[in-house]
Amino acid sequence: MVEIKTEGELTVMREAGRVVARALAAARELAVPGAALKDLDEAARTVIHESGATSAFLNYKPHFAPTPFPAMICTSVNDSVVHGIPDGYRLREGDLLSVDCGAYLDGWAGDAAVSIVVGRSDPTASAADLALIRTTQAALDAAIAAAVPGARLGDIGHAVATVGRAAGYGILSDFGGHGVGRHMHEDPHVPNEARPGRGMVLRPGMVLAIEPMFISGGRDQYRVAPDGWTLQSVDRSRAAHVEHTVAVTEDGPRVLTLP
């Protein structure tokens, strides 16, 4: 069942979104060569706790996971697409890092992700990674623009896939966005590839996490790392992931996870 949020509930969700944005900013600031992924997690933890919020990721256990998630954020490096667990790995110059964060505030959730290239590596070496990130962000922007009343869920997936496929990228199979509200993951599933004009009609008050996940090598398949969580591209090519929580409103899409 898809829950329609009131204007007052969207206001509270906006505050949850701000917490997520601040946590991502804190993690991103620490994402320099030599920093350990667990240090980024600790920075996000501090922001979330000092905001009076709680993590939506810590101890979360979806059906596909063998164990509860052990951290506040996901940190996915290079060929890891999503769900990477922050550990003692120290970032290196030129690493492609995606950071995903979710938080609850006053009973409502926010969920967002960013991708960056670490450090100041040779521009010629990082050009492909930067293009991948720009394209993934462009797909998110196009999908957000499609999240208007009267459109259909397939229009969002079509917007994402149109941008990604034109660039020759793979789109992570089986995973996509989702509804957000009292729980981090709610109905409906938001596909990253779909036929336009198909699927559920979008109504004011619907809140969706839209999250393109592109793989530079062009293949959609993934493998699960030994930790049971991290999803890696099968060809070991690099990947990017960006995400915002977006409300469908009469005045157009409203991004709830901006700073």
Side-chain angles (χ1 to χ4, degrees):
M1 182 179 71
V2 176
E3 182 179 12
I4 300 300
K5 282 73 175 179
T6 67
E7 189 62 33
E9 290 167 342
L10 292 181
T11 298
V12 180
M13 291 191 72
R14 177 71 180 99
E15 294 308 309
R18 284 192 172 96
V19 173
V20 170
R22 290 196 298 269
L24 286 173
R28 183 170 183 167
E29 184 176 358
L30 285 182
V32 297
L37 295 177
K38 62 183 180 181
D39 294 336
L40 277 61
D41 187 67
E42 188 58 35
R45 180 188 303 272
T46 298
V47 170
I48 291 171
H49 286 174
E50 290 183 351
S51 300
T54 58
S55 173
F57 289 6
L58 183 64
N59 295 322
Y60 180 62
K61 188 181 182 304
H63 66 88
F64 61 81
T67 58
F69 194 75
M72 308 290 279
I73 58 175
C74 297
T75 52
S76 305
V77 181
N78 296 333
D79 64 326
S80 297
V81 190
V82 288
H83 302 164
I85 297 173
D87 55 17
Y89 175 81
R90 293 193 176 275
L91 291 167
R92 301 172 183 173
E93 187 92 3
D95 276 345
L96 198 167
L97 169 70
S98 298
V99 182
D100 192 356
C101 180
Y104 289 106
L105 183 68
D106 296 331
W108 296 91
D111 190 8
V114 297
S115 287
I116 64 168
V117 174
V118 175
R120 299 182 178 181
S121 56
D122 180 351
T124 60
S126 63
D129 290 341
L130 293 173
L132 173 62
I133 293 171
R134 284 195 302 268
T135 303
T136 312
Q137 183 62 53
L140 176 59
D141 293 342
I144 291 172
V148 296
R152 291 186 176 268
L153 204 56
D155 297 332
I156 293 176
H158 179 69
V160 171
T162 296
V163 174
R165 295 301 187 194
Y169 296 140
I171 298 175
L172 184 69
S173 60
D174 305 327
F175 287 84
H178 49 88
V180 183
R182 300 177 195 274
H183 303 280
M184 180 177 59
H185 288 139
E186 296 184 349
D187 290 334
H189 173 67
V190 183
N192 280 331
E193 189 161 30
R195 295 179 63 182
R198 300 294 183 92
M200 180 181 296
V201 175
L202 303 183
R203 298 168 52 197
M206 292 177 65
V207 180
L208 308 171
I210 303 173
E211 48 181 320
M213 309 168 206
F214 289 167
I215 300 171
S216 61
R219 299 177 65 181
D220 300 346
Q221 295 76 25
Y222 62 89
R223 73 179 111 215
V224 181
D227 62 24
W229 273 97
T230 308
L231 306 185
Q232 300 173 310
S233 60
V234 293
D235 58 2
R236 305 307 299 267
S237 64
R238 296 190 176 203
H241 171 216
V242 294
E243 177 184 15
H244 270 308
T245 297
V246 182
V248 179
T249 80
E250 293 285 8
D251 298 325
R254 185 185 307 169
V255 180
L256 302 180
T257 42
L258 291 172

